Amino acid sequence: MDKTKCVVKRKGNLEPYDEKKVYASVYSAALICEYPEKKAEKIALEVMKKVNSWFAKESKRKKCINSSRIRESVLKNLKDENVALVYRHHFDLS
């Protein structure tokens, strides 16, 4: 695993950063809000790009990034309040 793109999960295990997980979680939250697929895709893609940029900068400073920090970045970059609410509370339930 590329230690410069490492994510520390809640239980302490390490895994590589996967932008698809960011995209999928935001896309899912948007669909739960009953947005059309195209709108959900647009929101997810926009957030994923911003989080990828943030992650690239952070991973230059630290070898591994906590998944909670990635989550914070997603929420910071999620401008749609409905999707942000679903995203935030889905985590609480899982």
Side-chain angles (χ1 to χ4, degrees):
M1 174 186 340
D2 180 358
K3 296 286 187 195
T4 61
K5 296 197 182 257
C6 174
V7 176
V8 181
K9 302 299 282 182
R10 282 188 275 177
K11 294 183 180 180
N13 52 318
L14 304 179
E15 66 179 49
Y17 174 70
D18 186 353
E19 68 181 14
K20 292 179 210 131
K21 287 186 175 185
V22 172
Y23 179 93
S25 61
V26 174
Y27 179 78
S28 229
L31 289 181
I32 290 170
C33 292
E34 299 185 357
Y35 288 155
E37 287 181 17
K38 288 289 183 193
K39 183 171 182 176
E41 289 171 359
K42 182 179 180 204
I43 293 169
L45 188 60
E46 200 172 275
V47 171
M48 182 190 74
K49 286 178 181 178
K50 290 178 182 177
V51 172
N52 286 352
S53 176
W54 168 85
F55 189 87
K57 290 175 190 168
E58 284 295 302
S59 63
K60 287 179 183 174
R61 296 182 327 113
K62 296 179 89 177
K63 287 186 180 183
C64 290
I65 310 294
N66 285 331
S67 60
S68 62
R69 300 224 26 245
I70 295 170
R71 183 169 177 71
E72 289 169 8
S73 180
V74 169
L75 287 167
K76 179 183 174 191
N77 288 293
L78 244 172
K79 302 306 179 198
D80 187 292
E81 292 178 16
N82 296 321
V83 179
L85 182 66
V86 169
Y87 181 88
R88 181 178 295 113
H89 290 290
H90 175 74
F91 178 77
D92 294 339
L93 298 173
S94 60

